[in-house]
Amino acid sequence: MTLETSEREFTARFMEYAAQGLLYPQTEGSPLLEFSSGGRVLYLFDRCGPYAAPPGPASVVIHGILEALTPLPDGAERVELLSVQGVSGVEGQGQVLAGGSRDTWVIHARVPLVLSSFTGGPSLPPGSWVAFRTVPPLHGFVVGREGRSSH
């Protein structure tokens, strides 16, 4: 299964769900972007190319591969949670914004996250609440100021 045909296609498809935040200067030789958004600092594998994203305010599509995705049971507290696991994974809970297929969902958990699964998952309409956990690394697709990819 292929989750994207190219970085540009993926960025264009999900740019409306880009998280707003701050990119820090990239460490020499590191493939990771340090991105602060939603009260969290995330380390994202740079999918735009080395040094293509200047430090400062930025819009970034955050993409993760799911290890687990489960609907919240009735009666569970509906609150957005996001915690960083290791260097570049997250777990939390949030509300489904979009779920166009059974392999990719957009979930808002303090920040918008595009989360995908190679094994598929439940059919979740927008408004559903879920708990999730990703495997590292998260990927970052930097979006330009006028909604264009920074490639």
Side-chain angles (χ1 to χ4, degrees):
M1 174 193 302
T2 302
L3 299 176
E4 62 184 60
T5 56
S6 73
E7 290 85 2
R8 288 177 189 247
E9 177 274 331
F10 190 87
T11 303
R13 186 166 44 143
F14 292 106
M15 78 170 83
E16 70 181 285
Y17 301 109
Q20 306 303 306
L22 183 65
L23 278 174
Y24 293 98
Q26 206 164 348
T27 304
E28 184 67 34
S30 174
L32 297 178
L33 297 169
E34 187 175 3
F35 181 61
S36 174
S37 183
R40 300 290 182 265
V41 175
L42 304 172
Y43 291 90
L44 310 172
F45 182 74
D46 185 358
R47 294 299 303 273
C48 296
Y51 314 109
S59 298
V60 178
V61 175
I62 302 167
H63 182 234
I65 302 300
L66 287 162
E67 182 177 315
L69 176 72
T70 55
L72 288 184
D74 291 339
E77 184 178 10
R78 270 44 177 170
V79 61
E80 292 182 8
L81 302 172
L82 186 66
S83 61
V84 177
Q85 303 297 306
V87 173
S88 186
V90 292
E91 73 176 330
Q93 68 180 37
Q95 191 170 29
V96 174
L97 300 177
S101 67
R102 293 193 62 154
D103 62 5
T104 300
W105 302 264
V106 180
I107 297 168
H108 198 280
R110 299 183 63 97
V111 296
L113 302 165
V114 178
L115 301 178
S116 299
S117 172
F118 287 111
T119 59
S123 179
L124 298 165
S128 301
W129 281 81
V130 295
F132 60 87
R133 184 174 53 255
T134 67
V135 296
L138 293 171
H139 290 212
F141 298 80
V142 178
V143 176
R145 289 194 179 125
E146 287 87 39
R148 293 188 302 263
S149 172
S150 65
H151 296 278

